Amino acid sequence: MSGAVLDVRRLVTQLHHRRSGWLPVVDDVSLSIDRGEIVGLVGESGCGKSMTAFSIMQLFPTPAARVAGGQVLFKGRDLLKLPPGEMRGVRGAGIGMIFQDPSTFLDPLLTLGDQIAEPLYAHQFAGNPRARTLELIEQMGLPDAPVLARRYPHQVSGGQKQRALIATAMACAPDLLIADEPTTALDVTIQAQILDLMLTLRAQSGAAILLITHDLGVVAEMCDRVYVMYAGRVVEQNSTAALFKAPRHPYTQGLLNSTISLETASKSLFAIPGTIPGLEGMAPGCRFAPRCPLAAQACREQLPELEPLDSGMAACFYTEQTARGNIWAQEGR
């Protein structure tokens, strides 16, 4: 998409294993986000969602990770080709990131105000950094901005830490905000407030948002489009409404069956059988085949590619069967 703020093309990210060498944790992933759009990236823990975000930012949690191929086009520039100095100029100013655990990413030795102001100084903010910091704190819906700015992370609640982290990510008004599980470990009321805040920020600034989550309820409420990941690959993408109405990949159908709703509260809870494969246990064919009720010999031998459907795309040889309805119905739902 030529008008996309972010256009990731065939991204490959590898982790080094002491016995097996370099193994793909993100494998041939493509996605795009337009200005003002909220795009969800969903899947089980360990499917590669966070590593996709770290690859975009080139901020890996371990030196044993590397980008091995593909393109990450941000406003037309390939971030993977930028020298380290230029990439530092993009982080914070062009792309902001909300990390999963604010307690891990906030410095316990700095006040919240100093941490929110840090990107302003790093990117030579033209205005008054202190005034901008207080403005950001107020935008986050936090009370008594001058007092809160002088507090340290251990002196505030989890929701206040998360809002401070969002303020830091939004300090320089980036064009793209990457939110990696932004409501993890927060109570339901605070979760709703954080999500409302992100919607408000999108409306005010027009920023595009990549929302990484495993919570399909959050996706239904927040996202315009959705990419579903499994074992390092995108297996389905569509508009949110179309994906929830008629999912076409067996894994997506399984994820939706696993959610709790008022309509299914009286029934037994469904779970997709089996577990996501480890990096050393990737089969040569479809990675979901060992857990899929539709899997045939072709699935175990060939890796299906994303193919366009009447709406969206899916990587499955049996999308005609999934179009007829829920393939997991006989499995307990």
Side-chain angles (χ1 to χ4, degrees):
M1 297 175 63
S2 59
V5 172
L6 179 72
D7 189 2
V8 177
R9 300 178 181 177
R10 314 205 72 163
L11 178 67
V12 177
T13 300
Q14 299 173 330
L15 286 175
H16 190 268
H17 192 278
R18 63 182 182 277
R19 292 193 303 270
S20 304
W22 291 99
L23 300 172
V25 65
V26 175
D27 190 7
D28 201 26
V29 166
S30 297
L31 60 87
S32 63
I33 310 173
D34 284 342
R35 180 170 177 79
E37 189 179 32
I38 300 180
V39 170
L41 186 60
V42 304
E44 292 171 274
S45 296
C47 73
K49 305 186 301 296
S50 293
M51 287 301 292
T52 300
F54 291 137
S55 301
I56 294 168
M57 297 292 286
Q58 296 181 52
L59 286 175
F60 292 112
T62 169
R66 70 179 184 185
V67 175
Q71 294 177 295
V72 177
L73 302 176
F74 174 65
K75 298 171 66 175
R77 285 200 303 170
D78 189 354
L79 300 184
L80 301 181
K81 295 182 178 179
L82 295 185
E86 288 190 42
M87 189 62 207
R88 283 193 295 271
V90 173
R91 299 189 196 107
I95 305 176
M97 184 162 180
I98 305 170
F99 295 96
Q100 187 171 146
D101 182 4
S103 298
T104 300
F105 289 95
L106 288 174
D107 191 328
L109 302 180
L110 293 177
T111 65
L112 295 179
D114 286 341
Q115 297 187 64
I116 294 171
E118 189 171 1
L120 298 173
Y121 288 107
H123 297 288
Q124 300 178 348
F125 179 65
N128 185 326
R130 174 170 171 74
R132 173 62 174 160
T133 298
L134 297 179
E135 177 189 2
L136 286 162
I137 293 173
E138 291 173 356
Q139 284 182 353
M140 298 302 115
L142 294 168
D144 206 347
V147 173
L148 194 97
R150 294 194 297 270
R151 288 182 176 165
Y152 291 86
H154 73 275
Q155 295 176 311
V156 300
S157 68
Q160 290 174 324
K161 290 178 188 176
Q162 190 65 286
R163 288 168 187 252
L165 203 60
I166 295 174
T168 304
M170 293 298 297
C172 296
D175 293 303
L176 172 66
L177 184 65
I178 299 175
D180 186 6
E181 301 279 7
T183 58
T184 297
L186 299 177
D187 64 57
V188 175
T189 302
I190 300 300
Q191 284 185 29
Q193 293 174 357
I194 295 296
L195 295 176
D196 286 342
L197 174 61
M198 292 176 63
L199 288 172
T200 300
L201 292 172
R202 188 267 295 263
Q204 291 175 346
S205 67
I209 299 175
L210 176 61
L211 179 59
I212 297 170
T213 182
H214 61 269
D215 190 331
L216 292 173
V218 169
V219 170
E221 180 181 350
M222 295 283 292
C223 297
D224 302 303
R225 291 189 298 116
V226 189
Y227 290 83
V228 181
M229 282 191 75
Y230 183 78
R233 293 180 68 87
V234 172
V235 296
E236 185 166 2
Q237 71 92 3
N238 209 336
S239 70
T240 303
L243 186 100
F244 275 72
K245 182 179 180 180
R248 299 293 295 276
H249 195 280
Y251 178 60
T252 310
Q253 291 189 351
L255 285 180
L256 291 172
N257 284 348
S258 301
T259 59
I260 300 174
S261 68
L262 293 176
E263 290 76 16
T264 59
S266 62
K267 301 179 182 180
S268 59
L269 186 63
F270 174 82
I272 302 173
T275 58
I276 193 166
L279 291 180
E280 289 187 287
M282 297 292 187
C286 175
R287 292 171 184 177
F288 190 61
R291 306 173 69 182
C292 181
L294 294 180
Q297 190 61 32
C299 304
R300 299 181 180 91
E301 295 175 350
Q302 295 177 262
L303 185 64
E305 299 290 337
L306 276 172
E307 298 291 345
L309 305 172
D310 50 348
S311 175
M313 303 178 75
C316 180
F317 296 127
Y318 297 103
T319 51
E320 291 185 7
Q321 285 90 325
T322 58
R324 299 185 193 122
N326 178 16
I327 65 164
W328 298 97
Q330 66 223 23
E331 303 293 324
R333 284 288 290 276

